[in-house]
Amino acid sequence: MNRTEKAALVETLNKTFSEAAVVVVTHQVGLTVDEVNDLRGKMRAAGARYKVTKNRIARLALKGTEYENLDASFTGPTAIATSSDPVAAAKVAVEFANGNEKLTIVGGAMGTKVLDVNAVKALAKLPSLDELRAKLLGMIQTPATRIAGVLQAPGGQVARVISAYSSKEG
């Protein structure tokens, strides 16, 4: 890889770090191509990305981002999971690591807040933004449905009463 390719890679990785709401740093030792592709597919489905990185390039790309404090995490066979949803990357990485001992969570960060392994696992247990939005929407819609039902009931009762009186007179 020549200098211009490295510079382009650093710039791309820097942009990834700048746009991410969460970064999860992992070590992957002995993952097969199929396993990595499976993990990437799961990440994509959750709206996250997974990338194997060279430590030196990752450290260069961290400069100028909120994640500069992750510099020490980049040792050994490192890969990163990133997402704009603060939970998605952590959730998929932790689930995959639980089922495959070749992937281990090293740590991560949300903005300037560095997360240790336990914090990443705790973050993975939280509902994603989409799940929270669905719950909130359900909570908002339920009262509206109840109000509509209550408002329709008296009108129906009045109509039945009028219909009953009209049938008596005839």
Side-chain angles (χ1 to χ4, degrees):
M1 191 181 292
N2 64 31
R3 282 186 184 265
T4 56
E5 290 173 332
K6 283 182 185 178
L9 186 58
V10 168
E11 187 178 322
T12 302
L13 203 51
N14 181 278
K15 184 179 178 189
T16 299
F17 285 130
S18 297
E19 294 172 352
V22 67
V23 174
V24 178
V25 181
T26 65
H27 279 177
Q28 51 143 11
V29 179
L31 280 177
T32 65
V33 173
D34 288 339
E35 290 170 329
V36 172
N37 287 338
D38 181 40
L39 177 55
R40 283 190 174 124
K42 290 177 180 179
M43 287 282 183
R44 241 181 271 116
R49 289 188 287 183
Y50 181 77
K51 181 160 182 57
V52 176
T53 61
K54 291 186 178 259
N55 294 328
R56 181 165 164 63
I57 290 175
R59 284 190 196 112
L60 289 171
L62 286 170
K63 291 186 173 138
T65 69
E66 312 181 293
Y67 300 103
E68 281 186 79
N69 45 13
L70 277 178
D71 191 77
S73 299
F74 288 91
T75 58
T78 310
I80 57 167
T82 59
S83 67
S84 56
D85 179 340
V87 177
K91 189 177 290 267
V92 175
V94 168
E95 284 175 9
F96 193 86
N98 288 339
N100 192 330
E101 61 191 36
K102 297 174 191 173
L103 182 78
T104 55
I105 308 295
V106 175
M110 282 182 71
T112 57
K113 173 84 170 129
V114 176
L115 307 172
D116 63 0
V117 177
N118 293 328
V120 172
K121 288 180 179 179
L123 183 63
K125 292 178 184 173
L126 296 174
S128 69
L129 280 177
D130 288 339
E131 291 169 344
L132 286 174
R133 286 179 183 135
K135 286 180 183 181
L136 184 61
L137 187 60
M139 292 170 73
I140 290 171
Q141 285 181 339
T142 299
T145 305
R146 288 184 184 155
I147 289 171
V150 168
L151 291 176
Q152 288 177 354
Q157 289 173 347
V158 169
R160 282 191 290 279
V161 169
I162 292 172
S163 175
Y165 277 117
S166 67
S167 63
K168 278 185 184 179
E169 292 177 14

